[in-house]
Amino acid sequence: MKTLSGTLCFTAVLFSQYSAALTAGSVVKSQGENLTMVCTTEDTDPIGLYLHLRRPEKHEVFYYDISSKTLVTSQEYDRRVTISGDPKKLTVTITSLRVNESGVYSCVFNFFDGKRVEKETNGALLFVKEVNKATAQPPFKEPSTMPEMLLLVSVLLACTVFILCVLVTVVWVIPKVKALRVS
């Protein structure tokens, strides 16, 4: 029963980690390509923007101060991030993607409303594929009947249904069978 609880908790945590990206969809890039995403907010006067990466632990990619247009990146992203656009709609570009940079990217705007307030707005799930340079060929897109995010959601849903069936069997069917054997 503890294993079942652990599996249910793991499924819930996994789904919550990727729920922000489900609305924006997933992006598949090859190593060395660029990622461009748009961070938007409806709130007025944002003072800054963080870009966070969860893989599964949370990392800060950069902080951008809107008023001074100052960009502070973490060491791994140094000289590979550019930002453009107006304060409510910032376009973020990360160049020369690396395989270990796969994960959920989320935009977090800062506001000052008597106190500092952070608001996570949108994001994207990024998969960076490794490119074997010795056998690299022009990109070929395999025909797919299901987008990657739909496949991920389908797998999560199938696992949840399976776990619920096991739970019903353990809680409801087995005691009835035992009761019939006793009588």
Side-chain angles (χ1 to χ4, degrees), residues 15-33:
F15 186 73
S16 69
Q17 286 290 314
Y18 295 112
S19 63
L22 290 175
T23 57
S26 64
V27 179
V28 179
K29 297 285 187 177
S30 294
Q31 183 177 356
E33 290 184 340

PDB file of all heavy atoms in Angstrom, residues 15-33:
ATOM      1  N   PHE A  15       3.202  15.404 -12.829  1.00  0.00           N
ATOM      2  CA  PHE A  15       2.216  16.156 -13.591  1.00  0.00           C
ATOM      3  C   PHE A  15       2.250  17.630 -13.227  1.00  0.00           C
ATOM      4  O   PHE A  15       2.176  18.492 -14.089  1.00  0.00           O
ATOM      5  CB  PHE A  15       0.818  15.577 -13.361  1.00  0.00           C
ATOM      6  CG  PHE A  15      -0.220  16.218 -14.230  1.00  0.00           C
ATOM      7  CD1 PHE A  15      -0.265  15.935 -15.587  1.00  0.00           C
ATOM      8  CD2 PHE A  15      -1.134  17.106 -13.703  1.00  0.00           C
ATOM      9  CE1 PHE A  15      -1.216  16.524 -16.399  1.00  0.00           C
ATOM     10  CE2 PHE A  15      -2.076  17.701 -14.514  1.00  0.00           C
ATOM     11  CZ  PHE A  15      -2.121  17.410 -15.860  1.00  0.00           C
ATOM     12  N   SER A  16       2.407  17.963 -11.936  1.00  0.00           N
ATOM     13  CA  SER A  16       2.436  19.369 -11.539  1.00  0.00           C
ATOM     14  C   SER A  16       3.679  20.072 -12.054  1.00  0.00           C
ATOM     15  O   SER A  16       3.648  21.250 -12.373  1.00  0.00           O
ATOM     16  CB  SER A  16       2.340  19.504 -10.015  1.00  0.00           C
ATOM     17  OG  SER A  16       3.532  19.028  -9.408  1.00  0.00           O
ATOM     18  N   GLN A  17       4.802  19.344 -12.152  1.00  0.00           N
ATOM     19  CA  GLN A  17       6.035  19.940 -12.674  1.00  0.00           C
ATOM     20  C   GLN A  17       5.859  20.372 -14.124  1.00  0.00           C
ATOM     21  O   GLN A  17       6.420  21.369 -14.548  1.00  0.00           O
ATOM     22  CB  GLN A  17       7.207  18.951 -12.585  1.00  0.00           C
ATOM     23  CG  GLN A  17       7.732  18.752 -11.200  1.00  0.00           C
ATOM     24  CD  GLN A  17       8.465  19.974 -10.695  1.00  0.00           C
ATOM     25  OE1 GLN A  17       9.274  20.545 -11.396  1.00  0.00           O
ATOM     26  NE2 GLN A  17       8.174  20.380  -9.491  1.00  0.00           N
ATOM     27  N   TYR A  18       5.097  19.604 -14.889  1.00  0.00           N
ATOM     28  CA  TYR A  18       4.954  19.893 -16.301  1.00  0.00           C
ATOM     29  C   TYR A  18       3.658  20.618 -16.643  1.00  0.00           C
ATOM     30  O   TYR A  18       3.425  20.920 -17.790  1.00  0.00           O
ATOM     31  CB  TYR A  18       5.061  18.606 -17.114  1.00  0.00           C
ATOM     32  CG  TYR A  18       6.424  17.998 -16.998  1.00  0.00           C
ATOM     33  CD1 TYR A  18       6.615  16.798 -16.340  1.00  0.00           C
ATOM     34  CD2 TYR A  18       7.528  18.648 -17.512  1.00  0.00           C
ATOM     35  CE1 TYR A  18       7.877  16.249 -16.218  1.00  0.00           C
ATOM     36  CE2 TYR A  18       8.795  18.118 -17.385  1.00  0.00           C
ATOM     37  CZ  TYR A  18       8.954  16.918 -16.743  1.00  0.00           C
ATOM     38  OH  TYR A  18      10.208  16.388 -16.610  1.00  0.00           O
ATOM     39  N   SER A  19       2.822  20.932 -15.652  1.00  0.00           N
ATOM     40  CA  SER A  19       1.535  21.551 -15.962  1.00  0.00           C
ATOM     41  C   SER A  19       1.710  22.944 -16.542  1.00  0.00           C
ATOM     42  O   SER A  19       0.939  23.349 -17.408  1.00  0.00           O
ATOM     43  CB  SER A  19       0.650  21.609 -14.715  1.00  0.00           C
ATOM     44  OG  SER A  19       1.246  22.423 -13.721  1.00  0.00           O
ATOM     45  N   ALA A  20       2.715  23.689 -16.105  1.00  0.00           N
ATOM     46  CA  ALA A  20       2.941  25.023 -16.664  1.00  0.00           C
ATOM     47  C   ALA A  20       3.305  24.929 -18.130  1.00  0.00           C
ATOM     48  O   ALA A  20       2.931  25.781 -18.931  1.00  0.00           O
ATOM     49  CB  ALA A  20       4.052  25.733 -15.890  1.00  0.00           C
ATOM     50  N   ALA A  21       4.014  23.917 -18.498  1.00  0.00           N
ATOM     51  CA  ALA A  21       4.454  23.777 -19.881  1.00  0.00           C
ATOM     52  C   ALA A  21       3.369  23.199 -20.775  1.00  0.00           C
ATOM     53  O   ALA A  21       3.436  23.338 -21.985  1.00  0.00           O
ATOM     54  CB  ALA A  21       5.689  22.895 -19.942  1.00  0.00           C
ATOM     55  N   LEU A  22       2.363  22.548 -20.203  1.00  0.00           N
ATOM     56  CA  LEU A  22       1.333  21.930 -21.024  1.00  0.00           C
ATOM     57  C   LEU A  22       0.579  22.961 -21.841  1.00  0.00           C
ATOM     58  O   LEU A  22       0.181  22.706 -22.962  1.00  0.00           O
ATOM     59  CB  LEU A  22       0.357  21.130 -20.163  1.00  0.00           C
ATOM     60  CG  LEU A  22       0.926  19.859 -19.557  1.00  0.00           C
ATOM     61  CD1 LEU A  22      -0.110  19.222 -18.637  1.00  0.00           C
ATOM     62  CD2 LEU A  22       1.370  18.883 -20.607  1.00  0.00           C
ATOM     63  N   THR A  23       0.387  24.171 -21.277  1.00  0.00           N
ATOM     64  CA  THR A  23      -0.340  25.191 -22.019  1.00  0.00           C
ATOM     65  C   THR A  23       0.510  25.757 -23.142  1.00  0.00           C
ATOM     66  O   THR A  23      -0.003  26.116 -24.186  1.00  0.00           O
ATOM     67  CB  THR A  23      -0.785  26.327 -21.074  1.00  0.00           C
ATOM     68  OG1 THR A  23       0.374  26.856 -20.425  1.00  0.00           O
ATOM     69  CG2 THR A  23      -1.768  25.822 -20.054  1.00  0.00           C
ATOM     70  N   ALA A  24       1.820  25.845 -22.949  1.00  0.00           N
ATOM     71  CA  ALA A  24       2.688  26.400 -23.976  1.00  0.00           C
ATOM     72  C   ALA A  24       3.149  25.334 -24.953  1.00  0.00           C
ATOM     73  O   ALA A  24       3.576  25.638 -26.049  1.00  0.00           O
ATOM     74  CB  ALA A  24       3.897  27.065 -23.318  1.00  0.00           C
ATOM     75  N   GLY A  25       3.088  24.085 -24.565  1.00  0.00           N
ATOM     76  CA  GLY A  25       3.517  22.998 -25.424  1.00  0.00           C
ATOM     77  C   GLY A  25       4.979  22.662 -25.226  1.00  0.00           C
ATOM     78  O   GLY A  25       5.682  23.265 -24.419  1.00  0.00           O
ATOM     79  N   SER A  26       5.409  21.667 -25.969  1.00  0.00           N
ATOM     80  CA  SER A  26       6.799  21.250 -25.849  1.00  0.00           C
ATOM     81  C   SER A  26       7.571  21.692 -27.080  1.00  0.00           C
ATOM     82  O   SER A  26       7.009  21.896 -28.149  1.00  0.00           O
ATOM     83  CB  SER A  26       6.885  19.732 -25.689  1.00  0.00           C
ATOM     84  OG  SER A  26       6.410  19.105 -26.854  1.00  0.00           O
ATOM     85  N   VAL A  27       8.864  21.816 -26.895  1.00  0.00           N
ATOM     86  CA  VAL A  27       9.758  22.224 -27.962  1.00  0.00           C
ATOM     87  C   VAL A  27      10.875  21.193 -28.019  1.00  0.00           C
ATOM     88  O   VAL A  27      11.467  20.872 -26.988  1.00  0.00           O
ATOM     89  CB  VAL A  27      10.339  23.629 -27.685  1.00  0.00           C
ATOM     90  CG1 VAL A  27      11.283  24.052 -28.788  1.00  0.00           C
ATOM     91  CG2 VAL A  27       9.232  24.648 -27.492  1.00  0.00           C
ATOM     92  N   VAL A  28      11.151  20.672 -29.204  1.00  0.00           N
ATOM     93  CA  VAL A  28      12.246  19.730 -29.381  1.00  0.00           C
ATOM     94  C   VAL A  28      13.294  20.408 -30.251  1.00  0.00           C
ATOM     95  O   VAL A  28      12.998  20.869 -31.352  1.00  0.00           O
ATOM     96  CB  VAL A  28      11.765  18.422 -30.046  1.00  0.00           C
ATOM     97  CG1 VAL A  28      12.932  17.470 -30.249  1.00  0.00           C
ATOM     98  CG2 VAL A  28      10.673  17.771 -29.216  1.00  0.00           C
ATOM     99  N   LYS A  29      14.503  20.498 -29.731  1.00  0.00           N
ATOM    100  CA  LYS A  29      15.619  21.125 -30.442  1.00  0.00           C
ATOM    101  C   LYS A  29      16.793  20.167 -30.431  1.00  0.00           C
ATOM    102  O   LYS A  29      16.909  19.304 -29.571  1.00  0.00           O
ATOM    103  CB  LYS A  29      16.045  22.434 -29.758  1.00  0.00           C
ATOM    104  CG  LYS A  29      14.989  23.511 -29.752  1.00  0.00           C
ATOM    105  CD  LYS A  29      14.865  24.139 -31.105  1.00  0.00           C
ATOM    106  CE  LYS A  29      13.935  25.338 -31.075  1.00  0.00           C
ATOM    107  NZ  LYS A  29      13.860  26.004 -32.359  1.00  0.00           N
ATOM    108  N   SER A  30      17.686  20.353 -31.386  1.00  0.00           N
ATOM    109  CA  SER A  30      18.929  19.598 -31.407  1.00  0.00           C
ATOM    110  C   SER A  30      20.013  20.409 -30.713  1.00  0.00           C
ATOM    111  O   SER A  30      19.939  21.644 -30.660  1.00  0.00           O
ATOM    112  CB  SER A  30      19.356  19.314 -32.843  1.00  0.00           C
ATOM    113  OG  SER A  30      18.436  18.453 -33.464  1.00  0.00           O
ATOM    114  N   GLN A  31      20.990  19.709 -30.194  1.00  0.00           N
ATOM    115  CA  GLN A  31      22.121  20.344 -29.544  1.00  0.00           C
ATOM    116  C   GLN A  31      22.724  21.379 -30.498  1.00  0.00           C
ATOM    117  O   GLN A  31      22.895  21.120 -31.682  1.00  0.00           O
ATOM    118  CB  GLN A  31      23.145  19.276 -29.196  1.00  0.00           C
ATOM    119  CG  GLN A  31      24.345  19.747 -28.463  1.00  0.00           C
ATOM    120  CD  GLN A  31      25.262  18.572 -28.117  1.00  0.00           C
ATOM    121  OE1 GLN A  31      24.961  17.417 -28.366  1.00  0.00           O
ATOM    122  NE2 GLN A  31      26.403  18.892 -27.553  1.00  0.00           N
ATOM    123  N   GLY A  32      22.990  22.589 -29.980  1.00  0.00           N
ATOM    124  CA  GLY A  32      23.581  23.655 -30.783  1.00  0.00           C
ATOM    125  C   GLY A  32      22.573  24.610 -31.394  1.00  0.00           C
ATOM    126  O   GLY A  32      22.937  25.694 -31.842  1.00  0.00           O
ATOM    127  N   GLU A  33      21.293  24.226 -31.420  1.00  0.00           N
ATOM    128  CA  GLU A  33      20.262  25.117 -31.958  1.00  0.00           C
ATOM    129  C   GLU A  33      19.909  26.189 -30.933  1.00  0.00           C
ATOM    130  O   GLU A  33      20.411  26.188 -29.806  1.00  0.00           O
ATOM    131  CB  GLU A  33      19.012  24.321 -32.346  1.00  0.00           C
ATOM    132  CG  GLU A  33      19.207  23.431 -33.547  1.00  0.00           C
ATOM    133  CD  GLU A  33      17.927  22.732 -33.976  1.00  0.00           C
ATOM    134  OE1 GLU A  33      16.973  22.615 -33.169  1.00  0.00           O
ATOM    135  OE2 GLU A  33      17.881  22.290 -35.128  1.00  0.00           O
TER     136      GLU A  33
END
